Amino acid sequence: MSDDHDEENGFDAALPDSLMPYDSWIEESYRQVMLHALDYAVEHGLPGDHHFYLTFRTDWPGVEMPGHLRAQYPHEITIVLQHQFWGLKVDRAHAVISVGLSFGGIPSTLVIPVAAISAFADPHIRLALRFTVPEQPPVAAAPENVVPVQIPEAEATADAPAADETRAEGEAEKGEGSQVVSLAAFRKRGPGGPG
């Protein structure tokens, strides 16, 4: 259809600014897609060649991770959930994800608030979702009736990996020689528009 035909039908090529928060609704829907994928992995495991890249802010309130990892990745890290992870849990009530991974042969449990996640990808199908995470987390008073989730620092279980196949890549502040997993090859138009 031509632009002339669109104009005849009342469509304008330039869309007006919305007074409704469509962008945040779409982003919330994409976060739900990510949570459904993680729920599926909890229930059924990862089928075929599916695997997940999860990028999150390490400096976000509520992120629990070993101190040496936080020192190495003070702003952001990307973890890979593929062969060597265990104890994956999605706690929707507290809006956190927890997972066990091995870093340098040391088993560790990470607790990640959903709000801290900036990207989710399943490279097998070239799916990548990017999320807006404010530079500064919102400051809010803690609700009185909320009990903090306590997860042990390391869960060494029978199904914990013996080999260190887990890859972690992150972004150190000011580019101090760290590596970043590029999701550009998997990026599709998401809530933030083209990457």
Side-chain angles (χ1 to χ4, degrees):
M1 294 170 109
S2 71
D3 289 338
D4 293 337
H5 185 70
D6 287 344
E7 289 174 8
E8 290 171 12
N9 290 324
F11 296 108
D12 187 3
L15 296 175
D17 289 336
S18 176
L19 299 178
M20 297 178 67
Y22 286 111
D23 287 344
S24 63
W25 292 342
I26 291 169
E27 183 165 319
E28 179 55 31
S29 295
Y30 284 143
R31 282 189 188 273
Q32 290 304 314
V33 168
M34 172 191 69
L35 292 174
H36 285 302
L38 292 167
D39 281 335
Y40 188 94
V42 167
E43 184 72 22
H44 306 286
L46 289 170
D49 291 330
H50 288 274
H51 58 288
F52 303 144
Y53 286 7
L54 199 62
T55 303
F56 64 94
R57 290 270 304 275
T58 58
D59 58 352
W60 197 261
V63 169
E64 295 179 27
M65 61 191 301
H68 72 279
L69 280 179
R70 192 180 305 274
Q72 191 173 359
Y73 305 105
H75 185 67
E76 189 171 73
I77 190 172
T78 295
I79 59 173
V80 179
L81 304 182
Q82 190 167 15
H83 303 298
Q84 301 294 322
F85 69 93
W86 63 94
L88 178 61
K89 295 176 188 155
V90 178
D91 182 344
R92 289 178 181 259
H94 293 98
V96 296
I97 297 162
S98 61
V99 65
L101 294 168
S102 182
F103 296 91
I106 301 169
S108 304
T109 298
L110 306 179
V111 178
I112 309 160
V114 173
I117 299 171
S118 59
F120 170 83
D122 183 344
H124 177 62
I125 60 165
R126 299 177 59 86
L127 171 75
L129 304 173
R130 296 195 59 77
F131 307 113
T132 303
V133 179
E135 193 56 39
Q136 295 297 319
V139 177
E144 293 180 22
N145 296 328
V146 174
V147 178
V149 178
Q150 295 294 324
I151 296 178
E153 175 69 21
E155 286 183 6
T157 61
D159 60 340
D164 181 26
E165 290 185 20
T166 303
R167 293 171 283 159
E169 304 294 335
E171 172 185 301
E173 291 177 351
K174 307 288 185 205
E176 297 173 7
S178 67
Q179 297 175 333
V180 177
V181 173
S182 173
L183 300 179
F186 307 107
R187 190 169 293 143
K188 290 185 178 179
R189 186 179 177 101

